[in-house]
Amino acid sequence: MPRYWVDEVDVELAVGDEWRNNWFIGFRRFGRANDERTIISSIVPRYGIADNIAICLSKLSATDHAYLLSLFSSFVVDYTARQKVGGVMINHFIVEQLPIVAPN
């Protein structure tokens, strides 16, 4: 029995009908100064997620999401994020300023 869980109905209500994938792309919202990487991202299963992981929802294809995940892991994006993050919190407004190249 897990210690904490979110009911599946609550996840479906929060995500909505437009997201049909069984996964999310998430990134860690709290970084540490001694971590080698600033943006730590991954594909996570479609379950309730705590506040320490921010998820990215878009209408892109699965291929474009893989492209986005690879950009989150690139040195250029990570270096830029390191320059922009003032403390330990990586907010959405910082992620929106990262040099993400459009998939087309």
Side-chain angles (χ1 to χ4, degrees):
M1 196 66 181
R3 184 170 182 184
Y4 303 105
W5 71 85
V6 177
D7 193 54
E8 183 179 1
V9 174
D10 294 334
V11 174
E12 296 303 321
L13 287 174
V15 174
D17 295 334
E18 294 181 16
W19 188 259
R20 290 178 173 61
N21 299 321
N22 290 329
W23 47 268
F24 301 121
I25 290 182
F27 62 91
R28 194 171 155 184
R29 291 189 59 215
F30 300 101
R32 298 181 302 253
N34 58 351
D35 285 341
E36 291 183 20
R37 301 297 302 226
T38 304
I39 301 292
I40 300 173
S41 60
S42 178
I43 294 176
V44 294
R46 184 180 176 142
Y47 294 118
I49 297 173
D51 188 42
N52 56 354
I53 296 178
I55 58 171
C56 302
L57 299 177
S58 71
K59 296 180 182 179
L60 297 172
S61 67
T63 305
D64 290 341
H65 277 97
Y67 174 72
L68 177 64
L69 185 63
S70 68
L71 285 174
F72 276 151
S73 300
S74 71
F75 288 122
V76 172
V77 170
D78 198 66
Y79 176 79
T80 307
R82 179 70 61 154
Q83 304 307 310
K84 290 187 174 290
V85 174
V88 295
M89 187 76 154
I90 302 169
N91 290 316
H92 283 287
F93 69 87
I94 291 174
V95 174
E96 290 176 357
Q97 296 175 24
L98 295 177
I100 303 293
V101 181
N104 56 4

